[in-house]
Amino acid sequence: NSSVVLSAGMNPRLYGYFEQFTDFFPDKDGILKKKIVFSVPKWLDIELKEFNFNGFDIKKTVTDSDSETIYTFTLDNAPAYFKEKDSPGRTYLYPHIMILTKSYAKGSKAGTLFKTHEDLYKWYASLVKLMHNEPEKLREKVTELTAKAKTDEEKIKNIYYWVQDNIRYIAFEDGIAGFKPDEAQNVFEKRYGDCKGMANLIKQMLVLAGFDARLTWIGTKHIAYDYKTPSLAVDNHMICTLFYKGKRYFLDGTEKFCAFGEYAERIQNKEVMIEDGEKCILDKVPQGSAAANKEVFTANLSLEQEQLKGTCQRSFLGESREYFQNIYNHFESNKKKEMLDGYLAHQNKSIKVDQVKMSDINNREQKLTIDYTIDIANKVSSFDNEIYVDLDFMNEYKEFQLKDRKTDYEFDYKTLYESVITL
């Protein structure tokens, strides 16, 4: 049994706390009964927005008095959070209440808080104005990156890829740093920053190079909301938007191997808020296709005394390429060959990999290919005059047993996998 009581108190400045509060009914243990009570003074205009109540035994009552409105929610008999990997974010699954603070009028004090996304942008923009960027400290590096570029697009790529390659992502969000980007020169000199600091560095470097680049707020796919819900809970990420030749390109410095014009699954089709002076622009990151992420496994095998031997090639495009590049670059330097052989063999001791040749592992813009020889044991059986050969030796989707699953399974990205095995 649990009970939670929330009061707005008497201070209009508490809206900052309220804006960040979203209460979820379930928890890590099952619930017999839970009660949440909101005591809202008349001077404060809020909306209690309900999400995912269907299918749960939740009752709501509202009691009015001259000084306050009391909202009471009770939940009976709810299961614990589902402990399943690769599930959608909690905001898609569980009943919760988001507190939207809109305005206040108490005595001689009155003001608008977050009634619309424009109000949310004004607050974000006020934090941006607090920054003290020093672009001159970046000029030498920008000049170096663009001096030999033959086209504007090459200049853009050189800057974008340099940030991906040289700035380490570290999330440090203490206090206002959770919302205010770090100055570009700080991120440049430290060689690390969070998403906001990296987005600001990309913007400042591109502006120095003569391009129109702007800070952009976004909520990743982990979050179910969009900017129709004006709340600090709507976004959890920042990127940079480039306006170039009549198009908008979304640049995410935290994606280490994302090519210019490609977008990670976690931000595809998500609404963005782009800075535009005193106003903002709402847009959406383009939706990608499975074909853009195609992965192909090809094997040409022969039968030699109950062994399968031959050559293989694996190729990767888009996010399948990025996924592999991230895996490979996390291998320890002195164990890269061992780890790569194990990866190609699916950690199967019956499969031996040799003579591995790989295309440029750091190239973001071309198909990545890996060629190798393979020797497979325990996949051929002889009985009398018949030979049985198991050609499905990779078992790519062997672990996908979903019959007892409580939540949807969410892939890391849209997948198109093709396997061609010739004996």
Side-chain angles (χ1 to χ4, degrees):
N1 294 296
S2 63
S3 178
V4 180
V5 180
L6 303 175
S7 173
M10 298 299 289
N11 187 346
R13 298 179 70 82
L14 277 175
Y15 76 86
Y17 165 78
F18 269 100
E19 258 314 300
Q20 296 179 60
F21 188 81
T22 301
D23 192 83
F24 285 81
F25 278 100
D27 58 22
K28 60 185 177 61
D29 304 307
I31 290 174
L32 295 176
K33 181 179 287 292
K34 184 173 186 176
K35 180 165 70 173
I36 299 177
V37 181
F38 297 91
S39 173
V40 184
K42 291 295 184 180
W43 52 259
L44 182 62
D45 178 20
I46 72 170
E47 177 187 354
L48 301 177
K49 194 163 184 177
E50 302 165 8
F51 292 87
N52 306 325
F53 274 31
N54 288 343
F56 290 86
D57 185 6
I58 300 174
K59 298 180 179 63
K60 173 185 174 182
T61 61
V62 181
T63 306
D64 255 323
S65 71
D66 293 338
S67 61
E68 65 181 6
T69 303
I70 297 176
Y71 302 85
T72 303
F73 296 85
T74 58
L75 169 69
D76 292 323
N77 301 316
Y81 288 137
F82 301 124
K83 296 177 181 177
E84 295 181 326
K85 293 175 65 177
D86 299 300
S87 293
R90 290 197 302 167
T91 56
Y92 296 91
L93 302 175
Y94 303 113
H96 61 281
I97 303 164
M98 182 186 288
I99 305 166
L100 303 177
T101 57
K102 297 185 174 183
S103 63
Y104 64 91
K106 186 175 187 293
S108 62
K109 296 180 179 180
T112 298
L113 300 174
F114 294 153
K115 278 191 173 182
T116 68
H117 72 272
E118 280 103 348
D119 299 321
L120 184 62
Y121 173 70
K122 286 176 184 176
W123 189 74
Y124 283 149
S126 72
L127 299 182
V128 171
K129 289 176 182 177
L130 296 176
M131 291 192 297
H132 300 286
N133 288 302
E134 299 178 35
E136 285 305 312
K137 292 186 176 181
L138 314 174
R139 187 174 297 280
E140 184 180 348
K141 176 55 70 174
V142 171
T143 301
E144 175 193 323
L145 292 171
T146 57
K148 295 182 180 180
K150 296 177 182 176
T151 64
D152 282 346
E153 187 169 313
E154 191 177 346
K155 292 178 183 178
I156 293 165
K157 290 178 180 179
N158 288 351
I159 290 170
Y160 182 32
Y161 297 163
W162 183 89
V163 173
Q164 288 184 351
D165 290 341
N166 294 277
I167 305 299
R168 178 176 293 187
Y169 170 73
I170 297 178
F172 179 73
E173 300 179 346
D174 183 31
I176 200 65
F179 303 97
K180 174 182 167 293
D182 195 4
E183 282 76 5
Q185 66 274 10
N186 294 341
V187 178
F188 177 74
E189 290 168 1
K190 294 183 297 187
R191 292 294 199 265
Y192 69 82
D194 66 6
C195 62
K196 300 181 298 300
M198 296 174 82
N200 184 40
L201 177 59
I202 293 172
K203 171 193 168 176
Q204 299 300 330
M205 294 179 81
L206 285 172
V207 169
L208 269 177
F211 299 101
D212 182 0
R214 311 183 190 184
L215 296 179
T216 301
W217 292 262
I218 184 173
T220 64
K221 282 195 173 177
H222 187 70
I223 296 176
Y225 321 124
D226 58 26
Y227 287 107
K228 290 191 286 292
T229 305
S231 165
L232 296 178
V234 171
D235 43 53
N236 62 347
H237 192 36
M238 181 179 275
I239 57 177
C240 174
T241 300
L242 171 70
F243 288 66
Y244 177 63
K245 291 187 176 180
K247 290 182 65 177
R248 294 172 187 159
Y249 294 87
F250 303 98
L251 311 181
D252 187 346
T254 68
E255 292 289 340
K256 288 300 181 186
F257 294 97
C258 193
F260 178 63
E262 292 183 358
Y263 308 115
E265 177 70 26
R266 67 191 184 117
I267 66 171
Q268 287 180 22
N269 205 38
K270 289 293 291 185
E271 198 169 39
V272 294
M273 180 188 287
I274 306 168
E275 65 176 340
D276 190 34
E278 296 302 312
K279 296 288 186 181
C280 65
I281 299 168
L282 293 186
D283 199 355
K284 270 191 175 182
V285 177
Q287 178 78 277
S289 67
N293 305 324
K294 188 173 183 179
E295 179 181 348
V296 179
F297 172 69
T298 304
N300 291 290
L301 307 175
S302 60
L303 190 59
E304 297 181 19
Q305 297 179 347
E306 299 196 356
Q307 294 276 108
L308 291 173
K309 296 184 179 183
T311 59
C312 297
Q313 183 184 81
R314 296 185 70 165
S315 67
F316 307 86
L317 282 174
E319 288 209 71
S320 70
R321 184 201 70 244
E322 293 171 48
Y323 184 79
F324 177 82
Q325 286 169 314
N326 276 297
I327 290 175
Y328 184 81
N329 279 276
H330 276 87
F331 292 160
E332 294 179 41
S333 297
N334 61 342
K335 294 184 178 179
K336 281 195 184 300
K337 182 183 184 308
E338 175 189 345
M339 300 295 286
L340 178 58
D341 289 353
Y343 176 86
L344 295 173
H346 264 225
Q347 310 303 329
N348 187 334
K349 293 181 179 179
S350 297
I351 300 176
K352 296 194 183 308
V353 168
D354 199 8
Q355 299 180 41
V356 178
K357 295 179 182 177
M358 185 161 49
S359 62
D360 183 2
I361 186 63
N362 293 313
N363 193 309
R364 297 164 172 81
E365 300 180 356
Q366 294 181 355
K367 178 167 65 175
L368 175 67
T369 60
I370 308 173
D371 293 276
Y372 54 98
T373 61
I374 196 168
D375 191 330
I376 309 166
N378 301 326
K379 298 300 177 184
V380 180
S381 303
S382 298
F383 300 96
D384 299 327
N385 292 321
E386 294 183 332
I387 299 174
Y388 296 84
V389 182
D390 178 9
L391 290 179
D392 190 20
F393 53 86
M394 294 298 282
N395 289 315
E396 293 90 349
Y397 295 97
K398 182 180 180 180
E399 302 302 322
F400 285 75
Q401 302 294 328
L402 306 180
K403 62 178 182 176
D404 296 322
R405 195 174 173 90
K406 305 295 184 186
T407 62
D408 289 345
Y409 185 94
E410 194 165 75
F411 284 86
D412 293 323
Y413 52 86
K414 288 179 281 292
T415 302
L416 176 58
Y417 181 82
E418 181 179 296
S419 174
V420 182
I421 299 175
T422 305
L423 179 63

